[in-house]
Every structure is written in structure tokens, then in C-alpha cells.
Amino acid sequence: DVLVLGGGLAFTFLAAQGIPVGNSLMEESMVNTAKELLASAESNGKRIVLPVDAACAQSFPTKALTPDETAIFDLSPSSGIEKGWSGFDVGPKTLELLKTSLDGSTKLVFNGPLGVFEVGPFDKGTAGLVNILEGLTKCGTITVVGGGDSVAALEAFGKTDVVSYISTGGGATLEMLSGAKLPGVEAISNVEVS
């Protein structure tokens, strides 16, 4: 019932809400689709949770950056990310929002990091989300992690053992959850074990 969007995907949805995203990765051709999806979710009583702040830099980080090379921007129609800056992670307010939005979940799928988790300080959002997943799993939530980058994030933070299930096939995981039949799964579904 709740869809949390982060990473590069979120900026298209933020732009669809009229929030300035600076030079962040954003698919202009998908803004209208994002508007339609946001409206559809609302009319069906579903929530799409988007970042409310972003950790930014003026160029893609190839090495750890110092605090004076980064900035946190609030994400609202009246502010947003300034031109010349790009979002590379969620900010601390977003992490708090994710914690409250996911609290009480019984099933959760994590498919894709929230930022450039390989480079500090843009590892904080994904690390924070992984910690949230760990806490939820300990409380009985079924947590599924799908996709190579998501698994790499768990490995980077030493947390591969804190979730219920891991699959390196992110696209296949999403296809299966959507109800699509996967040839490999179908092939073994009818095998009898003796």
C-alpha cells in the first residue's frame, strides 16, 4: 500500500510535483507519466512516498566529499535543489519519513539503493534504509531485497544476514511480484522431489 521512491527515479516524480531538481538525473519525457501515477495512487488510496530533502553535490562524486563540497536541500515547490547542484542521496528528514512510513509494514521489497552509496557522504541514505530494514525484520516483517546494487549495498554495510530474502535478480524479482510467469520458476514448479 506504500511505495517509497528514492535514487534517480524520485527526481522525475519530484519534478512532476513542480519541485526544482537542479541538475539531478531526471527523465523529462516521463514527467507526465509520473503525474498520472501520483494521481492514480491518490485516487486509489495508496501512498507514494518521495524524498523531502536531498544530499547534493555540484558534480558526480567519484571520491568521498567533504561537508563543504556538499549541501542538503529541502524538496518543496518553493525551494528544491538549486541549479548547478545534483541530488545523490536522500537527506536526514527523508530517512525519518521512511522510518515512520514503513513502520508496521508486514511485507517489504527493497529494490535499488537510495543514492550513490559507494561514495561518502552519499552512503547515509541507503545505510539508514538498511538499518530500518534490519529493525523491521527483527519485528517480524518479511523483507525481500532484489537486485545486484541492492545486494551490493547490503554487502557494503555488512548486513546481508539482516533481511528475510535476497535475490540478485532485481528485474526478475519485480516481474515475479507483478504476477508474471518466469520460465525458470515455471520449469521447477512441477518437479517432484522424491
Side-chain angles (χ1 to χ4, degrees):
D1 292 336
V2 177
L3 176 64
V4 173
L5 297 179
L9 180 64
F11 294 112
T12 302
F13 282 80
L14 292 165
Q17 293 182 321
I19 297 172
V21 296
N23 294 11
S24 303
L25 179 67
M26 192 263 297
E27 292 185 73
E28 187 68 45
S29 65
M30 296 301 291
V31 169
N32 284 334
T33 301
K35 286 179 184 178
E36 291 168 10
L37 290 169
L38 289 166
S40 177
E42 185 176 346
S43 68
N44 287 294
K46 308 297 180 189
R47 288 185 55 216
I48 295 180
V49 178
L50 296 169
V52 293
D53 59 349
C56 302
Q58 292 182 314
S59 62
F60 189 86
T62 57
K63 62 177 180 53
L65 300 180
T66 62
D68 58 337
E69 296 175 296
T70 65
I72 302 286
F73 290 96
D74 285 331
L75 300 172
S76 70
S78 61
S79 56
I81 300 173
E82 295 175 7
K83 289 185 184 202
W85 290 83
S86 298
F88 296 111
D89 196 10
V90 298
K93 293 177 186 174
T94 299
L95 270 180
E96 285 303 313
L97 174 63
L98 297 184
K99 187 173 182 177
T100 58
S101 297
L102 298 174
D103 190 40
S105 298
T106 57
K107 296 175 195 78
L108 196 143
V109 177
F110 168 40
N111 188 276
L114 294 176
V116 184
F117 72 92
E118 303 90 344
V119 180
F122 305 110
D123 55 348
K124 291 182 177 142
T126 301
L129 179 59
V130 168
N131 289 335
I132 292 168
L133 293 177
E134 179 179 16
L136 290 169
T137 305
K138 286 179 180 176
C139 292
T141 300
I142 297 169
T143 51
V144 176
V145 176
D149 286 341
S150 303
V151 175
L154 289 178
E155 290 171 345
F157 304 124
K159 301 274 187 167
T160 55
D161 60 343
V162 304
V163 295
S164 307
Y165 180 77
I166 296 175
S167 168
T168 56
T173 300
L174 293 176
E175 280 190 51
M176 187 175 82
L177 290 171
S178 75
K181 293 185 179 195
L182 303 179
V185 174
E186 290 297 306
I188 64 171
S189 295
N190 299 322
V191 173
E192 291 186 29
V193 179
S194 51

